[in-house]
Amino acid sequence: MKIRLIDLKPGETGTIRGISGSIQHKKRLLAMGIVQGKEITVETVAPLGDPRIYSVLGYRLSMRNEEAGTIAVDPV
């Protein structure tokens, strides 16, 4: 069941299934380690809900909700 990365709550993990948007946007996220098939975990959410901190490939990544909404994941 695919959901958007932004729909995961802190502590939840998902498997990356795809990225929507322009080629340039996809390349940027791939360069940041957003790779299909890898697991990503929501670490924390800022007090106003944006941005969020994610853990992927052994490092932490801050991402705006607008970007996270373009990433499809399967909840683990």
Side-chain angles (χ1 to χ4, degrees):
M1 175 183 82
K2 285 185 187 177
I3 62 172
R4 298 177 308 159
L5 179 59
I6 193 173
D7 296 326
L8 293 177
K9 296 180 176 33
E12 293 182 336
T13 299
T15 302
I16 300 167
R17 291 299 174 209
I19 303 169
S20 61
S22 69
I23 295 295
Q24 187 176 27
H25 174 71
K26 291 177 182 178
K27 285 182 178 179
R28 180 174 179 273
L29 291 179
L30 283 171
M32 292 168 57
I34 306 300
V35 179
Q36 190 169 354
K38 298 298 180 185
E39 290 190 351
I40 187 165
T41 302
V42 182
E43 296 286 333
T44 60
V45 178
L48 296 178
D50 191 25
R52 295 171 171 222
I53 304 294
Y54 299 94
S55 176
V56 61
L57 299 174
Y59 67 93
R60 298 174 79 197
L61 172 68
S62 176
M63 190 180 319
R64 293 277 180 197
N65 289 342
E66 182 179 341
E67 291 179 310
T70 66
I71 300 169
V73 298
D74 285 332
V76 174

